Amino acid sequence: MEVKFLESTLDIFKTNRLTIKEVSGINIENLSSILSDETTMRYTATGAQNHEQMVEFIKNCERQYRENGFSHWAIFITETNELIGLCGLNKHLVDGEEHVHVNYRLGSKYLGKGFATEAVSGVKKYCSAFLSIKYLSAIIEPSNNDSIKVVERLGFKLIKQTVFKSLNVNVYQTSVPVLPSTEVCLDI
């Protein structure tokens, strides 16, 4: 899968079928189809969100962009420009250790089509090209079999089971090799 890294302030990268963008440029009504959906949000610590929580979510993403250079990003189907979910990175302390954690959630009707695997693969390549991190983690509830399959397919290995934000979770991890600059494709 080819990944094109973009220089636009809102576009982060493109994969074969997806465009990943900053959340800050997204209309909150469009985001609500993802963040207020109970099925989509069932494996998140926050659960389905109301309007005020979505406003705070966007503000938090914007703060994380400034502080870390990353946060949640919106996933669009490139061909139709349809918002289908969220993916991105967060920093979390897990058992006293800092983890850069990949996260993703898709609208219900987009599950099982390979979009999560494609988005997470793109995030992993983005980390290789632009972030100085050695390992990428995924924090997943043990009953979330679909997400476990996604990360295992992409080379993540279970490193421990613990409690995080009052939830029993599995922590998966993969190494992040530095991508040689000759492999980085900037779409200018």
Side-chain angles (χ1 to χ4, degrees):
M1 174 184 68
E2 181 182 2
V3 175
K4 293 185 179 184
F5 301 101
L6 308 173
E7 289 188 338
S8 163
T9 56
L10 292 179
D11 290 349
I12 306 301
F13 63 85
K14 287 186 179 185
T15 65
N16 294 339
R17 301 179 294 167
L18 305 173
T19 300
I20 310 303
K21 301 180 180 191
E22 284 189 5
V23 169
S24 52
I26 308 303
N27 183 310
I28 197 162
E29 284 75 30
N30 292 339
L31 263 182
S32 71
S33 66
I34 306 301
L35 295 176
S36 67
D37 182 299
E38 291 189 23
T39 302
T40 300
M41 300 296 286
R42 76 177 170 261
Y43 291 113
T44 66
T46 60
Q49 296 184 9
N50 62 35
H51 183 81
E52 291 78 27
Q53 290 170 313
M54 285 183 251
V55 169
E56 286 305 310
F57 173 81
I58 292 170
K59 287 179 184 177
N60 181 53
C61 288
E62 291 170 342
R63 183 176 51 75
Q64 295 293 326
Y65 297 147
R66 287 189 306 275
E67 291 177 6
N68 300 320
F70 56 78
S71 184
H72 291 86
W73 298 312
I75 306 170
F76 290 85
I77 295 176
T78 302
E79 191 174 286
T80 62
N81 203 36
E82 183 177 0
L83 176 66
I84 65 167
L86 297 164
C87 68
L89 301 165
N90 291 100
K91 285 185 180 179
H92 291 296
L93 279 180
V94 179
D95 298 337
E97 292 180 8
E98 186 174 84
H99 288 258
V100 176
H101 158 66
V102 63
N103 57 73
Y104 46 94
R105 51 194 68 111
L106 294 173
S108 303
K109 70 181 187 178
Y110 304 103
L111 298 173
K113 298 177 189 309
F115 292 129
T117 302
E118 190 170 328
V120 174
S121 178
V123 169
K124 190 174 171 184
K125 288 179 182 180
Y126 180 86
C127 290
S128 294
F130 295 106
L131 302 178
S132 298
I133 59 173
K134 293 181 180 179
Y135 299 98
L136 183 59
S137 298
I139 302 168
I140 303 173
E141 290 181 56
S143 59
N144 190 347
N145 293 321
D146 292 335
S147 285
I148 291 168
K149 289 176 190 174
V150 167
V151 297
E152 287 179 341
R153 191 176 297 124
L154 295 171
F156 287 73
K157 303 291 182 207
L158 177 64
I159 61 166
K160 68 177 163 181
Q161 296 176 315
T162 190
V163 175
F164 175 72
K165 294 187 178 185
S166 302
L167 298 170
N168 291 321
V169 296
N170 293 340
V171 179
Y172 293 82
Q173 201 167 68
T174 188
S175 61
V176 179
V178 175
L179 188 66
S181 59
T182 56
E183 293 184 33
V184 177
C185 176
L186 290 175
D187 192 24
I188 298 173

